[in-house]
Amino acid sequence: MPTATIIGGSIAGLFTANALIQKGWNVTVHEKVESPLSGRGAGIATYDELADLVFKATGNNQVLGTKAKTRVSLDIKGNINSSYDYPQVYTSWQHLFSLLRNNIKNSKYFMNDDCIKIIQDDESATALFFNGKKKKSDLIIIANGMKSVIRKYVDQNAIPQYAGYVGWRGVVNEKDISVESLKILSEYFVIVLPFNQQIASYPIAGEGENPFDKGNRRINWIWYKPATEKDLKKLFFGKSGKQYKDGIPPNEIRDQVLKELLLEANNILPPQMYELIIKTSQPLIQPIYDLESNFMVNKRLITLGDAAFTARPHVGMGVTKAAIDAFTLSNSLSSNNYLNNLSKWEKNRIKAGKFLVNRSRELGIYLSKSMKNKTLIMPDILNVLSDTAISLYEIKNHSID
């Protein structure tokens, strides 16, 4: 039985593990953190192609989340001023993670395994971990996200590039939101375009029993705002006095930063969106990056998911792309001559990854530019409503491998 070591125990790694197990591979999954993973309520837009792959991975044929039939935009007073019909299901990171994780035996999933080095020869590859563990296998699959420090073993020149803006985000329980605001927030995918910015919201699964029922759900929001490198340094200076680089723990965000966020929200956002932000107990801040790879295979080493390509969130494709990476890879590994099949898989997935990264840049171009740029032209809201987070089948010039 062929063996694979999967580095990264989040959604990309779990899709890969499920896909390979179905092809008869003996896999182990190794996650860096020592406590159970949490997406802190992050929302995920789903599509038919993702639902099909979740079913293929887990056998789950139930609806993945909450439904919204229409996308709308609001004016500053909170009235709908544009709409676009696009029925879609929205789920939470935690719900999808649980479906995939529950399908993997505990004896095959290891936490507190931080891979720090990889070596390979003609016969095998070996992962070395910070805790002293060594794991030898036929393949090592690197699926530990954009910040992977072991991606260099496949493509040393693939480095995340800051896009020039951040995404503030959070979730609020429906039961904590006013009845008036819920008339909009619980029914629609909402996108609002302040100048040089964007904020979006949609309902996702709640926690506990009947998570998809109205009243038990949560509203997920993300607010994109330009931030220079200098701005980032200020945003990532923590309460403790520590200067963070690529992100900041939520509990380290300074009170003054949050105060300024709420003040701006009150000044430029519709009341429904302001309510979401003020009722979020702990907003998170996520710098937006682009990541492209020119290589995804180095003999017995493979990268996939966000560890290979990270597109901006506007395309809503991080999870779906990872799932397609995983199942197309498993198909390529189904023969005894699998190493020779990897070059074709790599070529196809690099093409798909570059397409999505470029598309996400186009969708977010007005967010990367400074507000001081007087030539900035904001996009037509109907185009934003119709182009954000849509199925691969509906993106012009894209084909699913």
Side-chain angles (χ1 to χ4, degrees):
M1 178 183 292
T3 58
T5 299
I6 299 173
I7 308 299
S10 189
I11 286 179
L14 290 172
F15 264 119
T16 306
N18 278 284
L20 292 189
I21 288 171
Q22 292 179 11
K23 293 295 185 180
W25 282 66
N26 182 4
V27 306
T28 55
V29 181
H30 303 262
E31 170 55 42
K32 175 180 178 178
V33 304
E34 58 183 344
S35 56
L37 295 178
S38 169
R40 295 194 177 98
I44 296 171
T46 76
Y47 319 91
D48 288 345
E49 57 266 35
L50 177 58
D52 290 343
L53 291 175
V54 171
F55 173 73
K56 191 173 181 180
T58 68
N60 176 77
N61 60 0
Q62 303 298 312
V63 65
L64 289 176
T66 64
K67 296 180 180 179
K69 295 181 179 180
T70 305
R71 299 174 170 193
V72 301
S73 182
L74 307 176
D75 62 24
I76 190 65
K77 294 182 179 180
N79 300 310
I80 294 175
N81 57 12
S82 297
S83 66
Y84 177 76
D85 289 336
Y86 192 85
Q88 192 165 25
V89 172
Y90 305 96
T91 191
S92 68
W93 183 95
Q94 193 65 52
H95 179 68
L96 189 55
F97 174 84
S98 296
L99 288 175
L100 295 166
R101 174 65 183 89
N102 291 342
N103 219 39
I104 303 297
K105 295 179 180 178
N106 289 337
S107 60
K108 298 292 185 180
Y109 190 96
F110 301 91
M111 305 197 72
N112 198 28
D113 273 3
D114 182 10
C115 182
I116 57 174
K117 186 177 181 180
I118 296 174
I119 56 177
Q120 65 172 327
D121 55 34
D122 291 340
E123 301 298 325
S124 64
T126 302
L128 288 76
F129 298 88
F130 182 78
N131 57 18
K133 182 186 295 186
K134 295 182 180 181
K135 182 65 169 53
K136 185 177 181 180
S137 56
D138 295 308
L139 292 178
I140 293 178
I141 300 171
I142 299 168
N144 59 345
M146 182 191 71
K147 295 182 180 181
S148 175
V149 297
I150 55 173
R151 176 175 49 245
K152 63 184 179 183
Y153 291 103
V154 176
D155 189 345
Q156 63 181 355
N157 294 319
I159 300 172
Q161 301 296 319
Y162 178 54
Y165 57 102
V166 300
W168 284 92
R169 62 183 178 90
V171 291
V172 183
N173 294 324
E174 280 185 326
K175 64 182 179 63
D176 296 329
I177 300 171
S178 68
V179 173
E180 189 64 26
S181 290
L182 281 178
K183 291 177 182 178
I184 296 291
L185 299 176
S186 69
E187 297 294 332
Y188 303 107
F189 182 121
V190 182
I191 297 179
V192 179
L193 297 181
F195 184 74
N196 204 192
Q197 300 184 13
Q198 181 195 119
I199 185 168
S201 74
Y202 50 88
I204 63 172
E207 298 175 311
E209 296 183 0
N210 304 314
F212 303 147
D213 290 353
K214 284 188 177 180
N216 295 340
R217 307 180 307 179
R218 295 171 293 172
I219 305 298
N220 180 77
W221 62 269
I222 183 163
W223 183 6
Y224 300 107
K225 291 162 47 66
T228 64
E229 297 278 1
K230 185 177 180 180
D231 294 331
L232 274 189
K233 189 173 182 179
K234 292 179 180 178
L235 289 171
F236 294 163
F237 184 73
K239 289 179 180 178
S240 65
K242 179 178 179 179
Q243 181 66 63
Y244 294 89
K245 184 178 180 183
D246 299 322
I248 184 170
N251 63 347
E252 273 277 73
I253 299 174
R254 288 176 290 119
D255 293 341
Q256 182 61 32
V257 171
L258 294 175
K259 182 179 178 180
E260 291 172 359
L261 184 76
L262 292 175
L263 180 62
E264 184 178 10
N266 189 40
N267 288 336
I268 70 171
L269 298 182
Q272 300 95 328
M273 310 308 272
Y274 173 66
E275 183 177 350
L276 280 180
I277 294 170
I278 200 169
K279 288 186 175 178
T280 299
S281 59
Q282 181 60 73
L284 317 177
I285 184 170
Q286 169 190 358
I288 305 301
Y289 289 93
D290 302 320
L291 173 66
E292 294 183 83
S293 296
N294 290 316
F295 304 98
M296 293 176 68
V297 176
N298 176 12
K299 298 178 182 178
R300 295 180 177 274
L301 312 181
I302 299 167
T303 59
L304 52 68
D306 282 349
F309 286 89
T310 302
R312 302 181 194 184
H314 318 298
V315 290
M317 275 292 144
V319 170
T320 300
K321 179 176 64 65
I324 296 173
D325 283 351
F327 275 96
T328 54
L329 175 64
S330 71
N331 291 335
S332 297
L333 299 178
S334 58
S335 70
N336 292 330
N337 200 27
Y338 59 82
L339 286 179
N340 293 330
N341 296 334
L342 288 176
S343 60
K344 182 179 180 180
W345 172 84
E346 178 187 38
K347 180 180 178 180
N348 289 338
R349 297 317 298 156
I350 287 177
K351 179 182 177 182
K354 287 183 179 293
F355 178 90
L356 288 173
V357 170
N358 287 333
R359 176 174 170 79
S360 74
R361 285 194 183 111
E362 293 172 1
L363 295 181
I365 190 169
Y366 62 97
L367 301 168
S368 293
K369 297 180 180 295
S370 168
M371 291 184 70
K372 296 178 182 179
N373 185 341
K374 296 180 180 179
T375 64
L376 175 64
I377 299 175
M378 292 293 289
D380 183 279
I381 184 58
L382 282 177
N383 290 336
V384 178
L385 291 174
S386 62
D387 287 341
T388 300
I390 60 175
S391 167
L392 288 172
Y393 293 110
E394 299 175 32
I395 300 176
K396 186 178 180 181
N397 298 327
H398 185 273
S399 60
I400 298 179
D401 295 321

